[in-house]
């Protein structure tokens, strides 16, 4: 494909290209529970850090030709040099407010269009041509208050040139041409440039979004099926994020206090398979043209209800976005693809937004119908000066803190039902906050733990922490690390008094006996618990445990224990499958086979 020139030959072109590659579906891989060798008395736990909580059509227009011409540039000395790889292509052209800027497009690609300038706002408009003819002229809205907080690490690294006047990035689909004009033709505007990010729609895009966005965790697809959210999330890898575009490490906070709702503006007529390409366009525009670390939104939702991971790590962590300048810290940015000024998003999209909010409300313990207090980070687009404390709805619209119409009048009017719907949905999703060392363990073993079912609890004498999950309880201490206690072994742990009993904290995860695959054990600070379907969960400790080890563990002629230790005829006794042991201080351990 040859580089595209503007209608006016005098316009100088500056071209940059980036590759946006799609990736294969994520493969689910169950984490190892540890070695399957013989048990050890001292367990396998390793110390970990302490938990912290921490558009209308018309046939023609009198101002411009209906079929803009393209100037060949392939052999021209000043033709932009293109480095091509399969994926999105970013092109930036010089322009002038006095003339219409015209670009040729491929209708097989999705295009994200934006402009920048110095000096006065030229008040740009855009129209596009598809199979139905030219659209009417539509406003190409100026920057609406998105971007990193000015005083943040991300804000400080944004190049000065990227902080000049600019428009929002607007998607255009199924179109062969686009034109941009200035309505303020006599404005004192300099250095006007138009950028287009073009992204082909691929088979990988169609595959990534073909499954329902509301399937349960039991119906895993090529997407990440988040068992707490109970919905699929199309990951960055699946929608084709080019991670090389990420400019810097984004800030993270210990928690999130609430949510800002956005719309992206642009076309509402995209297909399901075009949505990933639109998002790739935003990633390239936000990082290369705006100088942000990463895509500005934490999550995006399309009109079909499909949920997409936006800024990296937003699924599991409280990641600071670049969606509401001055109010990014401690908030989550959710944006629905499209323009929602005259009509609200689809029911499917609204329900996915509610579900996302409910999930994050559980995760960070905020009330979707409540209030939050934020401190403004300031900035020229913020309604509030830097340092002012502002009380806002926990679920707010972007217009509540910035001079913008986002998320559109029709969507903004639905925020009340979004709040109440999210609150009622909280009981249907998981998402209690999981932090610190227990959180680290959870992120590596979520298939084994299931979703969180309680807040983290503190333990004393001995000091530690625990948190209940769908499939068991994770215990942590600085000495033993974090380990899951579950099933029949947990029943034995209960009889032993949990952490305050004679066993102490778990020092390993549950493991399978090497020579008896239908039996399991778990190590503790002061012993172990064994389990089989015939013997159930039985604690072992002290001298009897040492003796059992010397006899060969599960290979011993005694087999597995069938009871706890108990008093009998002045002795301590424990019964096994094929005999029993007794203990007295004077005689030590005696073994009896039956």
């Amino acid at each position: 494909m040859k580089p595209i020139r503007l209608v006016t030959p005098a316009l100088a072109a500056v071209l940059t290209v980036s590759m946006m590659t799609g990736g294969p579906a994520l493969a689910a891989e169950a984490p190892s529970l540890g070695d399957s060798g013989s048990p050890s008395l001292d367990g396998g736990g390793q110390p970990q850090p302490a938990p912290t909580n921490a558009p209308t059509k018309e046939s023609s227009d009198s101002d411009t030709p209906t079929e803009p011409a393209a100037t060949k540039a392939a052999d021209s000395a000043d033709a932009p040099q293109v480095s091509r790889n399969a994926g999105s292509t970013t092109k930036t052209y010089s322009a002038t407010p006095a003339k219409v800027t015209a670009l040729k497009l491929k209708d097989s690609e999705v295009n994200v269009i934006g402009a920048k300038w110095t000096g006065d706002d030229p008040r740009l408009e855009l129209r596009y041509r598809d199979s139905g003819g030219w659209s009417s002229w539509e406003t190409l809205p100026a920057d609406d208050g998105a971007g990193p907080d000015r005083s943040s690490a991300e804000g400080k690294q944004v190049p000065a040139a990227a902080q000049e006047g600019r428009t929002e990035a607007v998607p255009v689909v199924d179109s062969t041409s686009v034109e941009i004009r200035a309505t303020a033709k006599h404005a004192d505007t300099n250095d006007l440039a138009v950028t287009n990010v073009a992204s082909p729609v691929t088979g990988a895009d169609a595959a990534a979004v073909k499954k329902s966005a509301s399937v349960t965790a039991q119906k895993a697809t090529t997407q990440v099926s988040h068992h707490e959210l109970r919905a699929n999330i199309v990951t960055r890898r699946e929608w084709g994020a080019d991670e090389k575009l990420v400019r810097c490490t984004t800030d993270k906070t210990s928690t999130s206090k609430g949510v800002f709702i956005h719309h992206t503006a642009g076309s509402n007529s995209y297909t399901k398979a075009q949505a990933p390409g639109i998002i790739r366009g935003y990633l390239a525009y936000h990082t290369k043209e705006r100088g942000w670390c990463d895509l500005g939104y934490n999550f995006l939702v399309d009109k079909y209800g499909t949920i997409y991971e936006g800024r990296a790590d937003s699924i599991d962590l409280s990641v600071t976005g670049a969606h509401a300048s001055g109010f990014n810290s401690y908030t989550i940015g959710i944006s629905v693809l499209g323009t929602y000024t005259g009509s609200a998003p689809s029911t499917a999209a609204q329900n996915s937004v509610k579900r996302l909010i409910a999930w994050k409300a559980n995760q960070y313990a905020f009330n979707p119908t409540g209030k939050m207090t934020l401190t403004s980070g300031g900035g020229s687009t913020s309604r509030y000066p830097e340092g002012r404390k502002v009380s806002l709805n926990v679920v707010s619209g972007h217009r509540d803190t910035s001079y913008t119409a986002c998320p559109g009048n029709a969507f903004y009017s639905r925020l009340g039902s979004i709040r109440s719907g999210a609150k009622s949905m909280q009981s249907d999703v998981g998402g209690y906050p999981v932090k610190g060392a227990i959180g680290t363990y959870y992120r590596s073993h979520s298939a084994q733990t299931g979703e969180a079912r309680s807040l983290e609890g503190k333990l004393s004498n001995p000091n530690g922490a625990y948190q209940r999950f769908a499939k068991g309880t994770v215990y942590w201490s600085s000495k033993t690390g974090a380990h899951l206690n579950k099933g029949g072994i947990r029943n034995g742990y209960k009889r032993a008094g949990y952490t305050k009993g004679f066993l102490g904290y778990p020092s390993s995860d549950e493991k399978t006996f090497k020579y008896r695959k239908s039996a399991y054990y778990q190590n503790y600070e002061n012993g172990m618990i064994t389990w089989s379907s015939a013997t159930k969960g039985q604690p072992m400790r002290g001298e009897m445990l040492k003796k059992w080890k010397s006899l060969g563990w599960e290979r011993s002629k005694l087999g597995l224990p069938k009871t706890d230790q108990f008093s009998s005829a002045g002795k301590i006794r424990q019964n096994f499958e094929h005999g029993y042991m007794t203990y007295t201080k004077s005689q030590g351990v005696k073994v009896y086979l039956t």
Side-chain angles (χ1 to χ4, degrees):
M1 182 178 74
K2 295 180 179 179
I4 301 171
R5 287 291 195 117
L6 295 176
V7 172
T8 308
L11 299 181
V14 179
L15 176 61
T16 56
V17 177
S18 66
M19 183 177 103
M20 305 283 288
T21 57
L26 291 180
E29 180 176 349
S32 172
L33 289 176
D35 65 70
S36 57
S38 298
S40 61
L41 295 182
D42 58 357
Q46 296 296 318
Q48 298 186 40
T52 58
N53 289 319
T56 304
K57 302 286 182 187
E58 60 186 23
S59 60
S60 65
D61 186 276
S62 59
D63 290 344
T64 57
T66 59
E67 193 66 53
T71 303
K72 293 184 179 180
D75 300 318
S76 174
D78 62 347
Q81 298 302 304
V82 182
S83 173
R84 291 205 176 278
N85 286 292
S88 295
T89 302
T90 302
K91 302 178 181 179
T92 299
Y93 294 97
S94 295
T96 175
K99 297 179 180 180
V100 173
T101 299
L103 301 175
K104 282 286 192 180
L105 307 178
K106 282 189 174 182
D107 57 6
S108 60
E109 298 177 328
V110 295
N111 296 271
V112 173
I113 309 293
K116 60 184 176 181
W117 61 85
T118 60
D120 294 342
D121 181 355
R123 300 176 186 250
L124 299 175
E125 293 182 333
L126 171 149
R127 71 173 186 166
Y128 50 89
R129 185 171 186 170
D130 59 19
S131 59
W134 284 100
S135 72
S136 58
W137 287 101
E138 303 169 5
T139 298
L140 186 54
D143 177 18
D144 69 353
D149 295 348
R150 183 173 57 185
S151 61
S152 68
E154 180 176 5
K156 291 177 180 178
Q157 67 81 45
V158 174
Q163 301 183 51
E164 303 292 347
R166 66 178 58 246
T167 68
E168 290 301 296
V170 175
V172 175
V173 299
D174 301 322
S175 299
T176 57
S177 303
V178 68
E179 295 180 344
I180 299 97
R181 70 180 183 183
T183 60
K185 295 182 180 180
H186 303 293
D188 187 13
T189 303
N190 302 299
D191 302 319
L192 180 61
V194 176
T195 294
N196 175 36
V197 182
S199 185
V201 179
T202 69
D205 294 335
V209 298
K210 70 180 180 179
K211 298 295 184 180
S212 168
S214 59
V215 300
T216 63
Q218 287 72 34
K219 297 178 181 179
T221 72
T222 56
Q223 301 160 318
V224 164
S225 184
H226 201 287
H227 56 272
E228 292 180 351
L229 179 61
R230 292 188 174 87
N232 283 329
I233 301 175
V234 180
T235 66
R236 290 170 64 91
R237 182 180 181 185
E238 289 165 332
W239 58 255
D242 182 356
E243 301 298 353
K244 294 187 294 296
L245 292 175
V246 177
R247 294 170 52 87
C248 46
T249 301
T250 54
D251 296 327
K252 297 175 180 63
T253 55
S254 60
T255 190
S256 291
K257 297 181 178 181
V259 177
F260 281 106
I261 302 298
H262 306 260
H263 69 172
T264 61
S267 175
N268 290 357
S269 64
Y270 57 87
T271 66
K272 185 178 287 190
Q274 287 172 329
I278 293 173
I279 298 172
R280 289 196 294 272
Y282 283 130
L283 173 61
Y285 192 86
H286 288 177
T287 55
K288 299 179 70 173
E289 300 303 314
R290 308 211 63 170
W292 303 348
C293 284
D294 196 351
L295 182 62
Y297 307 112
N298 298 103
F299 296 93
L300 300 99
V301 176
D302 67 24
K303 66 181 182 179
Y304 305 97
T306 310
I307 301 170
Y308 300 84
E309 177 189 11
R311 184 160 285 210
D313 296 326
S314 294
I315 293 175
D316 295 317
L317 303 176
S318 180
V319 176
T320 302
H323 56 92
S325 183
F327 293 87
N328 291 303
S329 292
Y330 299 98
T331 65
I332 300 163
I334 301 174
S335 190
V336 179
L337 299 182
T339 299
Y340 300 104
T341 301
S343 61
S346 66
T347 299
Q350 291 186 56
N351 285 339
S352 289
V353 170
K354 293 173 187 177
R355 185 170 291 275
L356 269 171
I357 295 170
W359 172 45
K360 288 300 179 180
N362 283 348
Q363 186 175 353
Y364 297 114
F366 59 71
N367 178 4
T369 60
K371 295 284 187 178
M372 61 178 171
T373 300
L374 300 175
T375 301
S376 174
S380 61
T381 61
S382 175
R383 292 181 179 272
Y384 303 97
E386 185 175 2
R388 178 175 294 182
K389 293 186 180 298
V390 184
S391 178
L392 299 162
N393 288 314
V394 163
V395 178
S396 288
H398 188 192
R399 63 173 64 181
D400 292 326
T401 59
S402 293
Y403 294 106
T404 176
C406 180
N409 291 338
F411 196 2
Y412 189 78
S413 69
R414 299 294 179 91
L415 292 191
S417 64
I418 295 290
R419 297 179 188 111
S420 59
K423 186 173 181 64
S424 65
M425 207 177 280
Q426 282 185 267
S427 61
D428 186 47
V429 299
Y432 287 99
V434 185
K435 304 176 182 180
I438 291 179
T440 300
Y441 178 90
Y442 165 71
R443 284 186 286 276
S444 297
H445 300 82
S446 59
Q448 286 71 46
T449 65
E451 68 269 21
R453 292 289 175 82
S454 76
L455 296 171
E456 182 182 286
K458 301 301 181 185
L459 294 168
S460 58
N461 299 319
N463 293 333
Y466 73 96
Q467 189 163 8
R468 292 191 295 273
F469 292 81
K471 299 179 182 179
T473 299
V474 175
Y475 291 92
W476 174 90
S477 75
S478 59
K479 179 180 178 180
T480 59
H483 299 287
L484 175 65
N485 177 247
K486 64 178 183 177
I489 286 180
R490 181 160 179 77
N491 293 332
Y493 194 35
K494 177 181 180 180
R495 294 198 307 274
Y498 293 128
T499 59
K500 296 186 183 299
F502 54 82
L503 288 175
Y505 284 83
S507 59
S508 78
D509 288 341
E510 181 181 291
K511 301 182 180 183
T512 303
F513 279 109
K514 184 175 182 179
Y515 298 102
R516 190 164 171 176
K517 299 301 184 181
S518 61
Y520 307 89
Y521 69 94
Q522 186 167 24
N523 292 320
Y524 293 79
E525 290 180 282
N526 305 310
M528 71 162 50
I529 296 176
T530 67
W531 183 92
S532 74
S533 59
T535 60
K536 308 308 177 185
Q538 306 299 343
M540 294 195 69
R541 65 192 188 275
E543 297 301 319
M544 288 187 178
L545 178 56
K546 292 179 181 178
K547 186 65 175 180
W548 193 53
K549 174 184 178 182
S550 70
L551 295 173
W553 302 109
E554 76 276 19
R555 290 177 293 171
S556 72
K557 292 181 179 180
L558 284 171
L560 300 178
K562 294 176 62 177
T563 68
D564 296 356
Q565 294 182 10
F566 60 94
S567 296
S568 175
K571 299 179 181 180
I572 302 299
R573 176 169 169 162
Q574 186 162 20
N575 294 337
F576 290 74
E577 291 176 294
H578 309 299
Y580 61 92
M581 291 184 190
T582 63
Y583 171 80
T584 63
K585 188 173 182 179
S586 60
Q587 295 180 344
V589 177
K590 299 292 185 179
V591 178
Y592 302 88
L593 297 175
T594 57

